[in-house]
Amino acid sequence: MFEKILVANRGEIAVRIIRTCKELGIRTVAVYSEVDVNSMHVQMADEAICIGPAPSSESYMRIDRLISAAEVTDVDAIHPGYGFLSEDAHFADVCESCNIRFIGPNSRAMNALQDKAISRELAKKAGVPVPPGSDGVVETEADALATAKNLRCAVNQDMAKLDAPIQDGDEIAFFPPVTGG
């Protein structure tokens, strides 16, 4: 169990983490930008440290400032909350290299899950149900159409328009859904 953690987030997310830590008897350090000085998470934490000006790019997203705050306050771990750096593999690596535990997935797991094809394969190997899809990366239009036909999906025949909504007059291939099985 950790004795003290730094909450690398703000607002309701940080408040929930701090409340949970209090229930568990874990001391907390809140970080805040200059405009968040009077925020509830700052008031609730055992300690608080300013990490920069209002823009999150100059405060909550600055790994160097978060690590400095963690080192100055001698925390055991950093909880990133949600958003901001919570899915940043580099941040997790930096924390570990500074002997600060990252509360969340390790960088190896984050990197693996950023690739949809790898994520699907890992889920299948772990026995986790996955939605129907291709067996890997679809490289060509012909492969995409074959996959759509196999999955019984409607697709826009003009592959250049895949990101655009289907318009009147677009040529559509429709493969009816499989029933009874």
Side-chain angles (χ1 to χ4, degrees):
M1 180 84 79
F2 303 120
E3 291 183 27
K4 184 171 26 170
I5 69 165
L6 182 140
V7 181
N9 217 296
R10 65 182 175 197
E12 182 62 24
I13 294 164
V15 167
R16 288 177 183 218
I17 295 165
I18 292 167
R19 281 186 182 144
T20 301
C21 286
K22 285 187 180 301
E23 290 174 13
L24 296 171
I26 300 170
R27 293 177 315 192
T28 55
V29 176
V31 292
Y32 62 93
S33 69
E34 292 167 352
V35 298
D36 293 327
V37 67
N38 294 316
S39 295
M40 184 181 291
H41 78 284
V42 175
Q43 306 306 314
M44 289 177 63
D46 298 299
E47 299 174 52
I49 190 164
C50 184
I51 55 170
S56 60
S57 62
E58 296 179 38
S59 52
Y60 299 98
M61 297 293 290
R62 291 285 302 269
I63 293 172
D64 58 330
R65 293 182 183 182
L66 294 169
I67 295 297
S68 292
E71 289 176 340
V72 165
T73 56
D74 194 31
V75 299
D76 303 311
I78 293 178
H79 193 309
Y82 303 101
F84 288 138
L85 297 170
S86 65
E87 296 179 22
D88 188 311
H90 175 66
F91 182 43
D93 279 339
V94 171
C95 289
E96 290 193 21
S97 71
C98 293
N99 294 318
I100 301 167
R101 294 285 309 271
F102 179 82
I103 300 173
N106 64 37
S107 61
R108 195 173 125 251
M110 282 191 253
N111 285 327
L113 294 177
Q114 287 180 350
D115 183 301
K116 185 177 179 180
I118 293 171
S119 298
R120 286 180 60 85
E121 193 56 39
L122 289 172
K124 286 179 186 177
K125 284 181 183 175
V128 176
V130 295
S134 67
D135 290 326
V137 176
V138 177
E139 301 284 346
T140 68
E141 180 177 333
D143 289 343
L145 289 171
T147 299
K149 183 175 183 177
N150 184 45
L151 295 172
R152 311 269 193 225
C153 295
V155 294
N156 184 337
Q157 290 289 297
D158 185 352
M159 297 301 276
K161 294 182 182 178
L162 279 180
D163 288 331
I166 296 173
Q167 304 287 325
D168 285 340
D170 282 349
E171 194 174 325
I172 304 295
F174 181 73
F175 307 102
V178 177
T179 58

